[in-house]
Amino acid sequence: MRLKISLLKEPKHQELVSCVGWTTAEELYSCSDDHQIVKWNLLTSETSQIVKLPDDIYPIDLHWFPKSLGIKKQTQAESFVLTSSDVLAEKGCSFGVLLSLLVFFHHTPSLSCVVVTFQKRSLRSGGKFHLISKLGRVEKSVEAHCGAVLAGRWNYEGTALVTVGEDGQIKIWSKTGMLRSTLAQQGTPVYSVAWGPDSEKVLYTAGKQLIIKPLQPNAKVLQWKAHDGIILKVDWNSVNDLILSAGEDCKYKVWDSYGRPLYNSQPHEHPITSVAWAPDGELFAVGSFHTLRLCDKTGWSYALEKPNTGSIFNIAWSIDGTQIAGACGNGHVVFAHVVEQRWEWKNFQVTLTKRRTMQVRNVLNDAVDLLEFRDRVIKASLNYAHLVVSTSLQCYVFSTKNWNTPLIFDLKEGTVSLILQAERHFLLVDGGGIYLYSYEGRFISSPKFPGMRTDILNAQTVSLSNDTIAIKDKADEKVIFLFEASTGKPLGDGKLLSHKNEILEIALDQKGLTNDRKIAFIDKNRDLYITSVKRFGKEEQIIKLGTMVHTLAWSDTCNILCGLQDTRFTVWYYPNTVYVDRDILPKTLFERDASEFSKNPHIVSFVGNQVTIRRADGSLVHISISPYPAILHEYVSSSKWEDAVRLCRFVKEQTMWACLAAMAVANRDMTTAEIAYAAIGEIDKVQYINSIKELPSKESKMAHILMLSGNIQEAEMILLQAGLVYQAIQININLYNWERALELAVKYKTHVDTVLAYRQKFLETFGKQETNKRYLQYAEGLQIDWEKVRAKIEMEITKERERSSSSQSGKNIGLRH
C-alpha cells in the first residue's frame, strides 16, 4: 500500500493553509491566512473562492457538521464550524505563523521567548468560532475564548460542539452556538480536542499530558503523561476506539481508551504537526515538515512520502477513506490517494493499481487479469472463491473461475464501510444500514435493532456465517445481537446474548448445522469464551476456552479455532469438546511458542490449514497446521466413523484420538467413543461407556451419555419425561445430590425409603450423624429394610427392560406391516 501524491505547481493560497475539510468524496474546502475559503472539485480539477473572510479573522480549524446517521438517504454536509483568532490583525502576524514558529524554534530554546511573548499578546485579544454555510454565508459568529480558538469539533450526532483555546478552557456549545458549559479550565493552551465514540467524553491536550474528561460532572477523569514535548494534535476513532497523539517531541503514538500505550514511533526530524484517523479506523495519516506518512492502526508504516509542502498543519480524510488532503505551510493543499492495497486468497493476489483499476494475479500459472471500474474503488474483499468490490455507486461480484463477467448491481445507500464474506453470501455495511446479498446479487435481508449505528461497525464487532449474523452492540458492550441470515429477524426467541464483561471481538464458526452454530468472543479481560447462538427458552452456557487471548479466527473449511494467547499460538481442533468432556480439552489443543511474532500480533486469516499473522512491524508470517484434524472433521460430518478411526490409527497422535472421542460422544456413537477413549488411556470412561451399553432403555442410555458430557439437568429431564422416575432419583444419588434426590422422591411419592437407605449408608461409611432437617423429618418413624429396597429397585429395572423390549417389538411389527 502506498500514497499517490498530487500537488499543483503553484499554490492556490497566498499564505499558510491552516485547515481543510471534505464535504463529499470529491469536494474539499480549504482555509488560509490569506482569509480565503477555497472550494476544490476533484472531478473537474477546478477551484473557486467561496468567501473572503474579514481581515481580522485568521482561520485555525474547520469541521463539517456531521451527516445524519442511520437515515435512508445520506445528504452531504451543508455547514461547518470555523475556529479563528483575530489575534494579531494589527501586528500583521497570524496564528498559522505561530505554528510555524513553534516548529522552527523547537530545537532553539534561547528563542522560546518569541512564543511566550506571542502568547501573552494573543491572550489580550479575542477568539471566535463561526458557523458558516456551504455557500460561504457566515450564519453566526460567537466570541468563544480569550485568545485564539485553537480547535472545534462537532460530536457524532451533531447535537453539541466542543471548542478549546489558548485560554486553557474547554467549552461545550449547542448546535446553534449557545454556551452550555465550561467543561474544564487549565493554565496552559489546549491545542487539540476530540470526542469519544459515544459523545459522552472529551479528549484534550494539556501540555505534555492527555486528559479524557466525561461530560457527567462527577465522573472519573483519566489523565496521563503522553509525550516529552507539548502535544499538538489528537484524534479519537469511533470504530476502533483508539487514540492518536502527536507532539513537539517529534513522535506520534497510539493509545487505547484507557490510556495504555499501543505504539510509540521513532523520533522524526521535525515535530509532528498533524494526525488523523481514516473513517473506518484501519489506517491513519501523519503530517510533519515535508512529510506525509500512511500507517496501519497498530502503528507501523505503510508508506512515507516527502512532498514539498512545508509543515502539514492539518489532515483530513475523504468520507470514503480513499484519499487524504493536507493543509500546507507553503500555501499548497496536498492530495494523496491510497493505492496498491492488496488482497490474497489461496493462489490469487489482487492489487489496486489505480483508483479505478485492479490487477489479479494467479501465482500458480502467473496469469494476470486487469479489472476496470467505472468509478473509484472504495472497499474490496477476497474470500470463498469470490472477489466483492464496492465503488462509489455500484457493487461488483467476481468469481475466481471467471474474471471477465462480474455481476454488477447498484448500491442502496452511500459509501460502503465494511464487506464481510461467508460461503453462501456477503454483507455490506454503509451509513444507511446492513445489507446481505447472495453471490448472484440477490438481496436477502437487512437486520436492524434499536439504536443501531452502522458507522462504528468493523470486522471485530460484526460476524457472518451461512445462517447467522452477529453484531456487538455499542450502546451496551456486554450484549451481542443475533439474527437469522435468511430473514434478518432476531434468532430463536429473540433473546440477546449477554455477558458479564464488555466484549471486544466476536467470531461465528463457519461450518456445520444451524442448531450447532457457535460464537467465540474475547472480553475486556482478554478471556476467550464460546457459546451456542441458539436462544430458545433456557439460558445457553457461556464457557471459557482460554485466557489472555488477543486475537482469534475460525477456519473457513471446518470448525477449528485458533488464537494468540500471551506467549503461545493455540489451535482448538475441536472447541465443542467443552460441551462434551471438558477434562480432555487440553488433549485436543495444539500449542507452539508465539514469541517470534513480537508484541501485539494479529491473525489476518485462517484459510484451509494456513494461518496468516501480521506482526507489529507489519510483516506477514504464515503458519501451517496439521491437515489431519480438518480431514477428521470432514469424516465425522459425513458419519464415516470407520474412516475416522483408521485416520487416527494412521496419524498416531493423542490430539486426534481426543478429538475423535469428543466428536463421537457429541454424535452419540459410543462404539467409536470407546475406541478413542481407550487410545488416550481414559480407562474410567471406557468402563462407563461399557456400562451405558448394558442399560435397558434408549432413554437411560441417552441420559448417561449426557452425564458423561456433564449435562446433569438434561439427563434428569429425559428420564422424567420418559416416566423413569427411579432412574432420575438414582443418578442424583450416584452424584451425591442428596437434596435433589429426596425432592424428586417426595414429589413423585416413590422411593423415599430408597433415598433414605442410600443416605444412611453414605453417612455410616464416614461415621457421621444425620443433620439435614428434611432427611430427619422423613426418616422419623421409618425403618430401613434393605431387602425391600433392593426388591423395589429390581422391579424398576425389570419394568424398564420390559418396556424397552415391548417398544422394540412394536417397532418391528410396524416395519413388517
Side-chain angles (χ1 to χ4, degrees):
M1 197 182 298
R2 68 177 182 87
L3 291 171
K4 186 180 179 183
I5 300 291
S6 301
L7 201 63
L8 295 177
K9 287 183 180 178
E10 296 297 326
K12 290 292 179 182
H13 289 283
Q14 305 304 311
E15 301 281 348
L16 171 152
V17 182
S18 57
C19 49
V20 289
W22 298 85
T23 57
T24 66
E26 299 290 359
E27 188 177 85
L28 179 96
Y29 279 39
S30 62
C31 303
S32 166
D33 282 358
D34 62 8
H35 310 290
Q36 289 188 82
I37 299 178
V38 173
K39 179 170 80 172
W40 303 69
N41 188 318
L42 272 67
L43 283 176
T44 61
S45 300
E46 293 175 352
T47 57
S48 57
Q49 180 181 299
I50 294 297
V51 66
K52 178 83 161 59
L53 297 169
D55 288 347
D56 63 341
I57 294 178
Y58 287 86
I60 297 173
D61 192 22
L62 175 156
H63 193 218
W64 284 94
F65 188 80
K67 297 177 180 182
S68 299
L69 300 172
I71 58 171
K72 283 282 181 185
K73 212 62 177 163
Q74 285 185 305
T75 55
Q76 61 183 27
E78 293 298 332
S79 64
F80 60 92
V81 62
L82 182 72
T83 71
S84 69
S85 168
D86 54 7
V87 31
L88 291 179
E90 72 272 11
K91 298 178 180 62
C93 181
S94 70
F95 182 74
V97 176
L98 166 66
L99 288 175
S100 300
L101 288 171
L102 280 172
V103 174
F104 183 75
F105 294 126
H106 171 68
H107 296 296
T108 320
S110 60
L111 296 177
S112 61
C113 58
V114 176
V115 177
V116 173
T117 307
F118 180 91
Q119 288 179 347
K120 285 179 180 174
R121 285 180 180 175
S122 66
L123 286 171
R124 294 185 195 136
S125 56
K128 296 176 182 174
F129 70 80
H130 314 271
L131 302 178
I132 303 175
S133 75
K134 192 168 184 275
L135 299 174
R137 187 172 65 251
V138 179
E139 305 286 357
K140 191 171 187 178
S141 293
V142 178
E143 194 79 45
H145 290 264
C146 184
V149 184
L150 301 184
R153 284 287 175 271
W154 295 107
N155 69 356
Y156 291 99
E157 294 75 28
T159 55
L161 171 72
V162 62
T163 61
V164 295
E166 275 191 302
D167 57 4
Q169 292 189 338
I170 297 94
K171 294 183 177 181
I172 308 292
W173 307 81
S174 72
K175 181 180 175 179
T176 55
M178 302 295 289
L179 181 64
R180 284 185 183 168
S181 65
T182 299
L183 188 65
Q185 189 164 354
Q186 59 187 38
T188 56
V190 183
Y191 287 104
S192 191
V193 68
W195 286 94
D198 56 3
S199 296
E200 296 292 327
K201 303 186 202 67
V202 169
L203 165 73
Y204 60 91
T205 67
K208 301 174 185 179
Q209 308 268 324
L210 283 178
I211 299 173
I212 297 176
K213 185 169 175 63
L215 299 188
Q216 292 177 343
N218 299 319
K220 186 181 176 184
V221 176
L222 184 63
Q223 180 172 349
W224 72 96
K225 185 186 176 186
H227 287 262
D228 294 325
I230 291 171
I231 301 168
L232 299 176
K233 286 282 174 159
V234 294
D235 198 9
W236 194 346
N237 187 261
S238 64
V239 179
N240 61 31
D241 200 21
L242 298 181
I243 291 167
L244 279 175
S245 64
E248 281 194 319
D249 59 359
C250 307
K251 292 180 179 180
Y252 63 87
K253 300 185 181 185
V254 183
W255 313 86
D256 69 10
S257 56
Y258 300 99
R260 293 177 295 211
L262 301 178
Y263 183 81
N264 184 359
S265 78
Q266 293 297 313
H268 288 56
E269 292 178 29
H270 302 280
I272 308 294
T273 46
S274 54
V275 287
W277 282 109
D280 65 2
E282 292 299 313
L283 303 169
F284 65 87
V286 178
S288 183
F289 184 74
H290 287 338
T291 302
L292 185 60
R293 188 184 287 273
L294 180 68
C295 302
D296 183 77
K297 65 181 177 184
T298 53
W300 58 273
S301 184
Y302 275 111
L304 174 64
E305 300 294 335
K306 291 285 189 178
N308 184 21
T309 56
S311 290
I312 299 175
F313 292 118
N314 182 245
I315 290 173
W317 283 84
S318 63
I319 293 157
D320 59 14
T322 61
Q323 50 196 329
I324 302 163
C328 307
N330 61 4
H332 275 291
V333 172
V334 63
F335 293 95
H337 302 293
V338 180
V339 293
E340 291 187 18
Q341 287 167 281
R342 190 169 291 168
W343 298 266
E344 293 179 355
W345 182 77
K346 292 189 177 178
N347 53 300
F348 292 100
Q349 189 180 76
V350 178
T351 307
L352 180 68
T353 52
K354 297 177 185 175
R355 297 179 70 193
R356 296 181 177 87
T357 308
M358 280 180 157
Q359 184 190 78
V360 181
R361 182 166 170 261
N362 186 335
V363 297
L364 293 180
N365 56 15
D366 258 351
V368 174
D369 289 276
L370 283 180
L371 312 179
E372 300 282 349
F373 301 92
R374 191 183 71 184
D375 307 295
R376 69 187 179 283
V377 172
I378 293 171
K379 285 282 174 188
S381 177
L382 177 62
N383 214 337
Y384 295 102
H386 288 88
L387 171 67
V388 181
V389 180
S390 74
T391 67
S392 51
L393 297 172
Q394 294 175 312
C395 181
Y396 293 72
V397 183
F398 296 86
S399 167
T400 55
K401 295 173 185 175
N402 183 3
W403 297 103
N404 298 320
T405 53
L407 186 138
I408 307 169
F409 60 89
D410 293 335
L411 291 170
K412 283 180 177 288
E413 306 293 343
T415 302
V416 170
S417 58
L418 179 67
I419 303 173
L420 288 180
Q421 290 178 258
E423 188 179 18
R424 295 179 194 162
H425 40 231
F426 63 94
L427 195 72
L428 298 180
V429 179
D430 65 22
I434 300 167
Y435 309 98
L436 189 68
Y437 291 91
S438 70
Y439 287 113
E440 291 74 43
R442 181 175 58 85
F443 173 72
I444 299 170
S445 66
S446 179
K448 292 179 175 65
F449 58 88
M452 182 172 78
R453 273 184 62 185
T454 56
D455 62 312
I456 55 175
L457 298 177
N458 63 9
Q460 282 73 51
T461 56
V462 185
S463 188
L464 176 68
S465 72
N466 284 336
D467 43 55
T468 309
I469 302 168
I471 304 171
K472 191 193 83 172
D473 186 19
K474 190 69 181 177
D476 182 357
E477 300 207 44
K478 299 176 182 178
V479 166
I480 299 172
F481 287 93
L482 299 164
F483 301 94
E484 285 181 16
S486 57
T487 62
K489 293 178 180 176
L491 199 67
D493 55 11
K495 275 189 182 177
L496 306 177
L497 196 163
S498 187
H499 185 53
K500 59 187 176 185
N501 294 319
E502 286 92 347
I503 297 165
L504 300 180
E505 184 173 351
I506 63 175
L508 288 161
D509 64 11
Q510 297 298 309
K511 292 292 182 177
L513 302 171
T514 307
N515 286 341
D516 297 328
R517 182 72 56 233
K518 300 290 188 296
I519 185 168
F521 61 85
I522 300 170
D523 70 8
K524 73 168 186 178
N525 295 330
R526 293 290 171 188
D527 291 331
L528 172 64
Y529 290 86
I530 189 169
T531 187
S532 173
V533 301
K534 285 191 305 183
R535 285 286 179 279
F536 289 106
K538 71 183 183 68
E539 196 66 33
E540 291 291 337
Q541 261 188 310
I542 298 176
I543 303 175
K544 187 189 284 192
L545 269 182
T547 57
M548 294 308 294
V549 181
H550 300 282
T551 175
L552 79 160
W554 288 97
S555 167
D556 66 336
T557 54
C558 58
N559 290 337
I560 296 176
L561 179 68
C562 72
L564 285 163
Q565 277 186 283
D566 210 10
T567 58
R568 301 187 313 282
F569 170 69
T570 306
V571 181
W572 289 266
Y573 283 134
Y574 186 57
N576 281 5
T577 305
V578 292
Y579 291 98
V580 179
D581 185 352
R582 213 176 299 187
D583 296 340
I584 65 168
L585 180 65
K587 293 180 180 179
T588 65
L589 305 183
F590 165 76
E591 292 183 311
R592 62 171 279 182
D593 180 54
S595 56
E596 64 178 287
F597 307 134
S598 70
K599 191 181 174 185
N600 295 327
H602 176 72
I603 298 173
V604 177
S605 64
F606 188 178
V607 178
N609 65 322
Q610 188 175 77
V611 181
T612 304
I613 296 170
R614 194 178 288 282
R615 293 170 34 160
D617 61 2
S619 59
L620 291 172
V621 181
H622 302 283
I623 299 174
S624 290
I625 63 167
S626 170
Y628 297 120
I631 299 168
L632 186 64
H633 274 271
E634 192 179 328
Y635 283 152
V636 170
S637 65
S638 306
S639 298
K640 296 178 179 177
W641 296 105
E642 290 180 7
D643 290 342
V645 171
R646 273 198 294 271
L647 177 66
C648 291
R649 283 177 177 152
F650 170 74
V651 178
K652 296 176 185 173
E653 282 183 8
Q654 180 178 260
T655 308
M656 293 285 286
W657 283 116
C659 288
L660 182 59
M663 290 171 175
V665 173
N667 288 277
R668 316 284 187 252
D669 190 306
M670 303 320 288
T671 304
T672 306
E674 185 182 354
I675 296 167
Y677 274 123
I680 56 173
E682 297 278 343
I683 306 305
D684 54 335
K685 284 165 187 168
V686 173
Q687 290 173 339
Y688 187 63
I689 289 167
N690 277 323
S691 70
I692 291 173
K693 286 180 180 179
E694 292 169 8
L695 291 171
S697 68
K698 66 174 185 180
E699 290 87 0
S700 282
K701 286 176 181 175
M702 180 67 74
H704 281 79
I705 290 169
L706 286 167
M707 283 179 64
L708 180 63
S709 306
N711 299 319
I712 312 302
Q713 286 181 329
E714 281 185 53
E716 183 190 284
M717 189 170 66
I718 283 173
L719 292 171
L720 291 174
Q721 284 174 349
L724 301 172
V725 177
Y726 160 70
Q727 286 78 354
I729 293 168
Q730 189 62 53
I731 63 169
N732 282 290
I733 291 172
N734 293 343
L735 293 166
Y736 306 119
N737 290 340
W738 297 110
E739 289 278 356
R740 181 61 179 162
L742 184 58
E743 185 185 328
L744 287 173
V746 171
K747 182 179 177 181
Y748 290 95
K749 299 175 183 175
T750 182
H751 286 282
V752 174
D753 56 341
T754 306
V755 176
L756 292 171
Y758 276 104
R759 171 76 170 178
Q760 188 185 68
K761 187 179 178 183
F762 170 75
L763 292 171
E764 285 172 0
T765 305
F766 293 98
K768 301 282 185 182
Q769 291 294 317
E770 183 61 76
T771 55
N772 187 302
K773 287 181 181 178
R774 288 199 73 197
Y775 273 91
L776 288 169
Q777 176 192 338
Y778 286 102
E780 193 176 337
L782 185 69
Q783 190 68 36
I784 302 297
D785 186 341
W786 270 103
E787 283 189 19
K788 280 186 181 178
V789 168
R790 289 192 185 98
K792 281 175 75 175
I793 292 171
E794 191 59 43
M795 191 172 71
E796 290 283 0
I797 293 168
T798 305
K799 200 194 305 180
E800 184 185 359
R801 200 172 280 125
E802 286 172 357
R803 181 185 156 194
S804 177
S805 59
S806 63
S807 168
Q808 191 60 43
S809 61
K811 276 185 185 175
N812 293 337
I813 291 166
L815 285 169
R816 282 199 295 273
H817 283 295

